Amino acid sequence: MSLIVDTEVEDGMLTVTRVVSTDRVVRIPETVDGRMVEALGSSFMSGSSGSNGRTLVIPASVRRVSPDALEGASGISSIEYDGELSVFGGFKLVLGSDCLVRCRNGGEDFEFEFMGGTPMCFPEFDDAMLSLCMRLTPEIAVRRLVE
């Protein structure tokens, strides 16, 4: 299926307001009509149903994302962000299912699997884990520090 993308300008930024695709890999375009895509709007994937195991690819041009952008999204098990981890963390996204996040992070790729229902950013993820009275195993703690 081809990708259907709706956009509008919000606060001077070209914002993706809706994406429809049943593809296993959903790539947000870096440009639409020659203009850089800079933001993802609220529930922008709610009309894009698909089976489990889908990957959402977000270009580095996206610098702002609505915190509820993934509300109504189905089947996403991984997100690839072509930019910096610090920018991705600022999105403060939450997905209902477990999600593997990969960031290019200036040539030093970062990869971490976030539990469903927890913020996909640090230290908010760590705080959520502590509030659930879960103990981080030494293996997870070392992996977190190494990455």
Side-chain angles (χ1 to χ4, degrees), residues 30-117:
E30 190 170 8
T31 61
V32 172
D33 296 330
R35 186 166 177 179
M36 295 293 281
V37 171
E38 300 174 273
L40 302 176
S42 179
S43 303
F44 80 98
M45 287 191 68
S46 63
S48 186
S49 61
S51 62
N52 287 336
R54 298 171 80 195
T55 298
L56 173 63
V57 180
I58 304 172
S61 62
V62 172
R63 309 291 286 173
R64 187 178 73 191
V65 176
S66 175
D68 64 346
L70 298 178
E71 192 170 297
S74 65
I76 296 174
S77 63
S78 67
I79 297 174
E80 295 179 9
Y81 180 61
D82 288 335
E84 301 288 326
L85 174 63
S86 60
V87 175
F88 183 85
F91 300 159
K92 301 193 184 306
L93 292 171
V94 175
L95 190 63
S97 58
D98 292 356
C99 186
L100 177 67
V101 172
R102 292 184 190 101
C103 294
R104 298 293 174 248
N105 211 34
E108 294 185 21
D109 290 356
F110 169 85
E111 185 176 293
F112 192 83
E113 185 155 355
F114 291 92
M115 284 180 36

Side-chain angles (χ1 to χ4, degrees), residues 133-145:
C133 298
M134 297 182 81
R135 291 182 52 197
L136 291 177
T137 65
E139 293 81 18
I140 291 174
V142 168
R143 182 173 172 212
R144 166 83 166 83
L145 291 173

